C-alpha cells in the first residue's frame, strides 16, 4: 500500500523504537526523505542543534529500516550491508503473510 508523506512521518514517530512488524516501501522512503530534509535544515542552526536532530532521528530511522527489511521477508540485519539494504528497500513488498507478520495495513 502507498503511504503519503505526513502519514509516513507520523508512523515513524509512532513506531519510534518498534523493530518488529513491517514497513511499506513508501513509508521507508518518505521517512528517509523527512530525515534527510530535517538534517539539511538543522545544519544551518549550528552543530549542537544538528547533533540533537541526528541523535533524535537515529533510533526511528534504524527501526523503519529494520521493518522495511522485514517487509521484503529479510532479517533486519541486512540493513547494515549497503548494497543489500538498497536492493531490498526498493524491492516490492511481500503481499502475503511472512515470518515477520501480515502486510502493513492500508494507510488512510
Amino acid at each position: 500500500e502507498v503511504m503519503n508523506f505526513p502519514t509516513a512521518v507520523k508512523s515513524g514517530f509512532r513506531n519510534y523504537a518498534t523493530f518488529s512488524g513491517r514497513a511499506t516501501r513508501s513509508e521507508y522512503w518518505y521517512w528517509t526523505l523527512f530525515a534527510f530534509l530535517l538534517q539539511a535544515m538543522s545544519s544551518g542552526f549550528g552543530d549542537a542543534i544538528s547533533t540533537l536532530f541526528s541523535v533524535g532521528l537515529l533510533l526511528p530511522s534504524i527501526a523503519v529500516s529494520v521493518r522495511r527489511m522485514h517487509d521484503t521477508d529479510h532479517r533486519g540485519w541486512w540493513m547494515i550491508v549497503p548494497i543489500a539494504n538498497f536492493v531490498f528497500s526498493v524491492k516490492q513488498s511481500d503481499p502475503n503473510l511472512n515470518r515477520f507478520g501480515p502486510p502493513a495495513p492500508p494507510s488512510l
Side-chain angles (χ1 to χ4, degrees):
E1 287 292 320
V2 175
M3 184 177 282
N4 63 30
F5 185 82
T7 305
V9 172
K10 288 177 195 170
S11 176
F13 284 116
R14 188 174 46 251
N15 297 300
Y16 194 90
T18 303
F19 295 91
S20 60
R22 297 167 61 172
T24 63
R25 185 170 37 182
S26 58
E27 178 181 357
Y28 172 80
W29 285 109
Y30 279 140
W31 176 264
T32 302
L33 175 63
F34 168 75
F36 174 78
L37 293 174
L38 197 59
Q39 282 299 119
M41 290 187 314
S42 71
S43 65
F45 293 107
D47 290 341
I49 298 295
S50 184
T51 301
L52 184 65
F53 278 106
S54 293
V55 170
L57 291 175
L58 181 63
L59 194 57
S61 294
I62 293 170
V64 77
S65 295
V66 167
R67 291 193 315 271
R68 179 68 196 128
M69 295 300 106
H70 290 173
D71 194 48
T72 60
D73 201 22
H74 295 89
R75 292 188 181 272
W77 290 106
W78 280 105
M79 66 168 263
I80 64 174
V81 181
I83 299 299
N85 181 24
F86 179 74
V87 169
F88 296 152
S89 64
V90 297
K91 187 178 174 185
Q92 190 170 9
S93 298
D94 181 0
N96 303 311
L97 177 72
N98 67 23
R99 60 188 162 155
F100 301 104
S107 60
L108 300 174

